[in-house]
Amino acid sequence: MATSTAARVPAPADSPGRGAAPVRRSTPLRRRRSIAAWGFAAPFVLLFLVFTAWPVISSLLMSVTDIKSRDLQNPFNVNFVGLDNFATVLADPLFWQAARNTGYFVVVGVPVVMFVSLMVALALNTGITRLSGFFRVGYFMPVVTSIVAVAVVWRFLLKDDNGIINVVLGWFGIDGPNWLGDPNWSMPAMILMAVWRSMGTLIVIFLAGLQGVPASLHEAAALDGANAVQRLRLITVPIMRPTLLFGAVLTGIGYLQLFEEPLVMTNGGGPLNSTLSVSLYIYRQFGFGNYGIASAMSYLLFLAIVLLTLLQFRLLTERDPRPRRKARQTTEREGSAR
Amino acid sequence: MRKPLRVTVATLAAATTLIALTSCGRSDDAPAEDMSAAPVAEGEATGTITVWAMGTEGEKLGEFADAFSAENPDATVEVTAIPWDAAHDKIATAIAADQTPDVSMVGTTWMGEFASTGALDPTPDTIDGTSFFPGAWGTTIVNDVAYGMPWYVETRVLYTNTAAAEAAGVSPSPATWDDLKTSTAAIQAAGADYGITLQAGQQGAWQTFMPFAWQAGAQILDDEGNITLDTPEVVDALTYYQSFFTDGVAPVDVPVGTLESSLIAGEFGAMVSGPWHIGILEEAGYADFTLSPLPAGEQLASFIGGSNLAVFKNAENRDGAWKFIEWLSQPDTQAAWYEATSDLPSVPEAWETGTLATDPQLAIFGTQLETAVAPPSIPNWEQIATVIDTELEKVTRSGLDPQEAATAIQQQAEAIGTGL
């Protein structure tokens, strides 16, 4: 601690207006300070380099080679193939099917889970019931439960003839579909389960965001005669915008990497590959030992995630309805936010 | 919420292999250059023999090997049990990092992949290939060279609900394709929901389908090593297989975990499965089923699976390793191993004594093994098998024309290549 206090004292030396000499005089201290800083940061930096940076780089390297599992013994057999792997992947109809499946999951799943979670968060936030603490816990339960256990139970819930979901639908005279056996219904079933599963996190985030909405604004608006829907649209949502953006980005990234649900629920992508996701296909290719192809797919997925995130920022960042001069400032703020 | 770093995790796996690959390449001995097996020293085995084994085998082999140590007092066998689902990656990583044990159990469908890395030691002539079931021995052969020893086998037979067959007035042991067709239809007509269950698609369905293709006389590879999956024989088999679904005799969906109870309840009349189902059915208190070899098309055939034992080229105790394997391949040892684990022996001679000779149900497996066929040991087999699974599912579920399916399988399989 002594070092850090000592280090803080000469800090003004950095400030403009001083000559070159004092800066030079403080150099040993600065160096000591930076050694200490690197010392503290080293464990993280090292782990980051070994387990995050290097894998990302090596995967990029692998994506431009024809490396397969058999080359592990003979690394000199690995050839540079340029963008061939990417061409192969883009020409693979199964990859496009996986991309379509994943896109379906994201485009339908993200808005649904956002909407449902916001509604539940609003209900919990009003605190109408004394039980809202119980519900907060209840909604969070799926998040902390093991996905494999959950998937096995859901397989029973979704059974064709005597699954609870179809039994309940039957009470209302609806003949439920064969959820996991019908290629048209397998993806909706995945979305149903994913919504149930990821709601908890979003509700907690939204509840925190709702705490930041000043009650005085609502009171003022109510005095002016605004009804609940108007207050939600004009006060709550605009103030919550950063929170909603955060939730959407996080969910979008997560949903693009759909993996465990189809792996467990439909034995890895059935029926008729209707639940084969991009991540699952990457996993399959790694399993076949096609490391080059799998790495190329990983990078395409990475690209998709970047694009989706940029799109969400564009759509959800605050846009000022007032004239242009203000609007330009907003754009600058957007830029720096990124 | 999913972790947003999954891409990184996937790449991490890739990178570890790349690290391994750059830091420790083994001497450049491709399998094609060094095909002749070195001889094994005479006499008793000595030293420590390290063995990796999976599943029940991993649990039981250590104790079982005490008998080997009794015969070879200077040798000890150290068994490491590894879980099946981690085994493939563990062996692959070990090969890459040059950290292999002396001996490892290897799933029959992995032989091509691992042998083509050049890490496996060719089988020396102390182990006689002719003493095994031909299908089992075939799983050890990659590019005309044998690697390792077929340890135990499994094969698929027909399980029929005897009561359901009797109620329908048909034999529970159909002998031909036509018999199977008529008897399963009769069982269904007599009140069962379905006559038979056949895997409609998804992982591993090829193991149920390929026996029919082999019965029709199909081959996966021709004599020159070309993939031949669009031959008239394959189309015949696809057509026959599809007819069970188009006629509604076989269900498209069997909910997970209901197979056994449905067979017991007579909801369907028959199924195709391996030896493990005897135990499952008996545990459920059900004994009224009949086993029979799969029906004959042009010929008899079934799928043969199981596990092999392989020795690594860089084994520290190569002589000891081969002596241990040689001991495990002896008919007496194989019969004793069956008593310990219920693994079916890969050596026909082991079937001539004890329970294996007297139990009529087991005898069916013994008969079936004589004509059982293994898929070729080519590195890309698993990938080609996935193509068959997918196209087969289209045939059974969405009525894809068998000829079109065969063409699609052939095209994709050719694009994948054998990997040799």
Side-chain angles (χ1 to χ4, degrees):
Chain A
M1 280 302 103
T3 353
S4 69
T5 330
R8 208 175 284 145
V9 178
D14 292 341
S15 59
R18 294 272 187 128
V23 174
R24 206 180 300 142
R25 204 168 48 212
S26 75
T27 300
L29 273 172
R30 291 185 73 203
R31 189 182 301 146
R32 212 191 307 159
R33 184 171 58 171
S34 87
I35 288 171
W38 280 110
F40 280 116
F44 167 76
V45 170
L46 202 70
L47 289 174
F48 173 82
L49 287 177
V50 172
F51 291 110
T52 307
W54 169 241
V56 171
I57 295 164
S58 75
S59 174
L60 188 64
L61 293 178
M62 288 166 86
S63 73
V64 291
T65 66
D66 62 355
I67 182 167
K68 299 196 66 163
S69 56
R70 59 191 306 188
D71 298 322
L72 297 178
Q73 280 280 306
N74 298 308
F76 299 108
N77 285 352
V78 177
N79 300 309
F80 174 78
V81 295
L83 295 178
D84 280 8
N85 286 333
F86 290 91
T88 311
V89 171
L90 292 176
D92 178 359
L94 200 52
F95 174 77
W96 285 108
Q97 179 163 10
R100 274 197 304 277
N101 294 340
T102 312
Y104 178 13
F105 184 72
V106 171
V107 168
V108 178
V110 174
V112 169
V113 73
M114 291 281 290
F115 178 78
V116 175
S117 306
L118 184 59
M119 290 303 123
V120 174
L122 282 169
L124 288 178
N125 196 44
T126 53
I128 307 169
T129 157
R130 288 237 169 265
L131 286 175
S132 77
F134 167 77
F135 283 119
R136 286 177 195 208
V137 174
Y139 281 114
F140 203 71
M141 287 282 276
V143 181
V144 292
T145 320
S146 154
I147 172 75
V148 176
V150 161
V152 170
V153 172
W154 271 79
R155 258 197 330 218
F156 282 104
L157 298 183
L158 289 166
K159 262 165 70 171
D160 182 16
D161 46 354
N162 54 0
I164 293 177
I165 293 178
N166 279 356
V167 169
V168 172
L169 286 176
W171 293 344
F172 300 98
I174 303 167
D175 188 14
N178 180 1
W179 292 96
L180 295 175
D182 182 338
N184 295 319
W185 284 101
S186 51
M187 212 28 132
M190 289 298 140
I191 293 171
L192 193 67
M193 180 181 156
V195 166
W196 171 83
R197 195 173 143 68
S198 47
M199 257 168 68
T201 317
L202 281 177
I203 290 172
V204 169
I205 293 170
F206 290 166
L207 272 172
L210 285 170
Q211 311 290 323
V213 182
S216 55
L217 282 180
H218 276 281
E219 282 163 16
L223 284 176
D224 288 343
N227 63 28
V229 175
Q230 283 169 327
R231 290 197 313 254
L232 173 67
R233 196 166 63 83
L234 297 170
I235 298 172
T236 311
V237 169
I239 293 178
M240 290 257 305
R241 204 164 239 144
T243 315
L244 292 173
L245 174 66
F246 177 71
V249 169
L250 210 63
T251 319
I253 291 174
Y255 277 23
L256 268 175
Q257 296 175 48
L258 171 71
F259 180 76
E260 295 100 330
E261 284 89 346
L263 183 73
V264 182
M265 302 262 288
T266 55
N267 297 324
L272 291 171
N273 286 325
S274 60
T275 56
L276 181 73
S277 69
V278 175
S279 290
L280 205 54
Y281 198 34
I282 292 172
Y283 173 76
R284 206 188 266 186
Q285 290 290 345
F286 268 116
F288 292 146
N290 298 330
Y291 300 155
I293 299 272
S295 299
M297 281 185 194
S298 303
Y299 267 85
L300 289 171
L301 180 61
F302 168 74
L303 208 66
I305 289 173
V306 171
L307 288 177
L308 178 86
T309 308
L310 288 178
L311 185 74
Q312 284 170 326
F313 268 97
R314 174 92 3 123
L315 290 178
L316 283 169
T317 320
E318 190 173 359
R319 247 168 314 191
D320 208 311
R322 278 168 297 176
R324 246 169 235 143
R325 210 155 46 90
K326 285 272 183 189
R328 202 188 304 138
Q329 280 176 359
T330 317
T331 324
E332 278 159 17
R333 225 185 310 144
E334 262 181 359
S336 65
R338 262 173 256 151
Chain B
M1 179 79 23
R2 257 172 230 93
K3 285 178 226 89
L5 288 174
R6 184 155 309 104
V7 175
T8 328
V9 176
T11 52
L12 175 73
T16 30
T17 57
L18 200 74
I19 293 173
L21 173 163
T22 45
S23 57
C24 40
R26 184 192 292 244
S27 64
D28 193 0
D29 40 7
E33 295 160 18
D34 182 17
M35 300 199 301
S36 59
V40 175
E42 303 271 325
E44 286 181 356
T46 53
T48 305
I49 303 157
T50 52
V51 183
W52 286 358
M54 290 79 97
T56 328
E57 289 74 31
E59 290 164 28
K60 304 234 168 127
L61 183 60
E63 202 179 313
F64 188 76
D66 288 348
F68 177 75
S69 299
E71 288 176 30
N72 302 270
D74 295 334
T76 45
V77 179
E78 254 177 38
V79 180
T80 308
I82 21 180
W84 262 113
D85 49 2
H88 179 274
D89 290 348
K90 188 165 166 69
I91 297 172
T93 318
I95 291 175
D98 207 355
Q99 296 287 323
T100 49
D102 296 327
V103 180
S104 179
M105 184 170 150
V106 177
T108 50
T109 50
W110 303 344
M111 287 301 289
E113 185 186 340
F114 290 141
S116 73
T117 65
L120 302 187
D121 197 31
T123 314
D125 51 17
T126 49
I127 290 170
D128 178 13
T130 58
S131 68
F132 301 94
F133 287 110
W137 181 248
T139 64
T140 67
I141 295 174
V142 181
N143 251 351
D144 298 331
V145 182
Y147 297 91
M149 180 277 276
W151 189 12
Y152 67 83
V153 292
E154 58 98 350
T155 188
R156 308 296 157 87
V157 299
L158 189 71
Y159 285 69
T160 308
N161 181 317
T162 319
E166 276 169 7
V170 292
S171 158
S173 301
T176 65
W177 275 18
D178 287 341
D179 290 351
L180 179 67
K181 206 68 219 291
T182 46
S183 70
T184 52
I187 290 172
Q188 189 181 29
D193 293 349
Y194 296 102
I196 187 172
T197 55
L198 295 167
Q199 261 184 294
Q202 304 200 349
Q203 220 173 11
W206 64 273
Q207 296 177 358
T208 309
F209 167 70
M210 280 313 294
F212 290 97
W214 287 321
Q215 285 156 19
Q219 283 185 299
I220 291 170
L221 299 180
D222 68 10
D223 297 337
E224 277 94 58
N226 302 310
I227 297 165
T228 51
L229 285 167
D230 60 349
T231 54
E233 290 83 11
V234 175
V235 179
D236 279 353
L238 281 169
T239 311
Y240 179 68
Y241 204 82
Q242 185 182 41
S243 70
F244 286 95
F245 295 90
T246 40
D247 299 349
V249 175
V252 172
D253 262 312
V254 178
V256 179
T258 62
L259 188 67
E260 295 81 15
S261 58
S262 302
L263 182 75
I264 294 170
E267 286 165 15
F268 53 75
M271 67 176 186
V272 175
S273 191
W276 56 86
H277 252 120
I278 296 181
I280 298 176
L281 290 171
E282 282 174 352
E283 251 170 55
Y286 179 65
D288 190 25
F289 55 91
T290 305
L291 300 186
S292 37
L294 294 183
E298 294 297 310
Q299 61 198 40
L300 284 163
S302 183
F303 168 84
I304 185 170
S307 274
N308 298 342
L309 283 170
V311 174
F312 291 94
K313 267 220 173 90
N314 289 13
E316 280 173 26
N317 188 357
R318 178 178 173 276
D319 287 343
W322 280 117
K323 280 173 188 166
F324 179 55
I325 288 185
E326 201 260 338
W327 176 75
L328 283 171
S329 75
Q330 294 301 315
D332 295 349
T333 324
Q334 289 247 312
W337 182 240
Y338 167 78
E339 299 296 334
T341 59
S342 302
D343 281 345
L344 300 179
S346 56
V347 179
E349 214 186 315
W351 291 71
E352 286 164 13
T353 51
T355 330
L356 285 161
T358 52
D359 187 325
Q361 286 184 326
L362 286 169
I364 300 292
F365 284 98
T367 311
Q368 186 77 80
L369 279 165
E370 287 162 15
T371 52
V373 185
S377 300
I378 51 176
N380 286 353
W381 172 250
E382 291 281 345
Q383 204 169 342
I384 294 172
T386 308
V387 170
I388 300 178
D389 287 347
T390 309
E391 297 302 320
L392 186 67
E393 192 176 19
K394 292 182 192 163
V395 167
T396 58
R397 276 180 179 273
S398 44
L400 177 68
D401 177 57
Q403 179 63 57
E404 281 176 35
T407 310
I409 292 171
Q410 176 71 11
Q411 278 172 354
Q412 294 174 65
E414 274 178 23
I416 292 165
T418 59
L420 282 173

